[in-house]
Amino acid sequence: MILLIIDTQKAITNKNLYNFKQFKKNILLLISESRKNNTEVIFTRHDDGFGTELSKETEGFEIYEPFKPKLQEKVFDKNVNSPFKSTGLLEYLHAKKETTIIVTGLQTEYCIDAAVKCGFEYGFTIIVPQNANTTFDNSFMTGKQSYEYYNDFIWKNRYAQCISVEETIKRIKSSK
């Protein structure tokens, strides 16, 4: 079992996200419990290319300070929504014989959706803890509507086990 924290980068991890305070609290709790229980924590960063706020050349590209990876924790950089495409993450997980991924981070309708569906297609058991992914309002839906649509309708019992943070922590504790 691994905890995958997707794209919680300085440029986009802020109070404009839906339910930000709860999201931040839950991510910090999941990181802490994973580290205490020897569950590997892996991060991704999204690179939108030169001249964007999510470019390797910018401060905004780096992981949000409260979630900062420890030196030994892996960070995979990507330039598409899926964390598995051409990043080395898939090969790394297969080499470690990992079977379960706890998917958290940003943004619900983009990279989290891709991680859940692609991870499912690659045969992983996907766990999505409640209020551990989020997004911004967009032209079609509020952040809340996007969150509920994916977590409660699209992924649940199809692609992922959408469960409470408390249940996720129980599983982390019992996995080692």
Side-chain angles (χ1 to χ4, degrees):
M1 175 178 293
I2 62 123
L3 174 63
L4 181 60
I5 302 176
I6 298 172
D7 303 351
T8 54
Q9 293 162 265
K10 290 179 182 180
I12 56 174
T13 306
N14 60 57
K15 64 180 172 48
N16 295 323
L17 291 161
Y18 164 67
N19 203 15
F20 178 68
K21 285 183 184 176
Q22 188 66 51
F23 166 77
K24 180 179 175 183
K25 178 183 168 193
N26 287 347
I27 296 291
L28 289 170
L29 182 59
L30 288 164
I31 290 171
S32 173
E33 290 296 325
S34 292
R35 289 173 177 163
K36 274 195 264 182
N37 289 282
N38 297 314
T39 294
E40 186 172 7
V41 181
I42 297 175
F43 296 81
T44 68
R45 295 181 297 197
H46 190 88
D47 183 358
D48 267 342
F50 183 77
T52 66
E53 67 180 353
L54 291 179
S55 169
K56 286 185 181 183
E57 297 79 24
T58 67
E59 180 67 19
F61 180 75
E62 299 305 322
I63 303 293
Y64 179 63
E65 199 63 38
F67 304 161
K68 188 176 180 179
K70 292 189 179 260
L71 282 178
Q72 76 278 10
E73 291 174 335
K74 301 251 184 263
V75 180
F76 292 88
D77 292 337
K78 61 190 189 57
N79 57 16
V80 296
N81 287 353
S82 173
F84 302 106
K85 184 171 176 57
S86 305
T87 63
L89 176 61
L90 181 62
E91 295 78 8
Y92 177 77
L93 296 175
H94 282 161
K96 291 193 61 146
K97 297 184 178 5
E98 289 292 350
T99 59
T100 302
I101 303 172
I102 302 166
V103 176
T104 67
L106 302 177
Q107 288 177 244
T108 303
E109 73 276 32
Y110 294 114
C111 299
I112 301 299
D113 184 51
V116 168
K117 290 175 180 172
C118 292
F120 172 83
E121 284 293 318
Y122 283 120
F124 294 102
T125 298
I126 305 295
I127 296 173
V128 179
Q130 290 172 345
N131 297 304
N133 70 83
T134 188
T135 194
F136 300 98
D137 293 350
N138 63 49
S139 301
F140 301 97
M141 292 192 266
T142 65
K144 180 179 193 257
Q145 288 169 323
S146 292
Y147 173 85
E148 290 172 349
Y149 177 72
Y150 285 94
N151 286 267
D152 299 336
F153 178 64
I154 294 296
W155 304 329
K156 191 175 190 169
N157 302 322
R158 291 185 175 114
Y159 298 101
Q161 298 171 28
C162 298
I163 59 176
S164 70
V165 169
E166 295 76 22
E167 178 60 28
T168 303
I169 290 169
K170 283 183 192 173
R171 292 185 189 190
I172 289 168
K173 289 178 177 180
S174 69
S175 73
K176 297 293 172 192

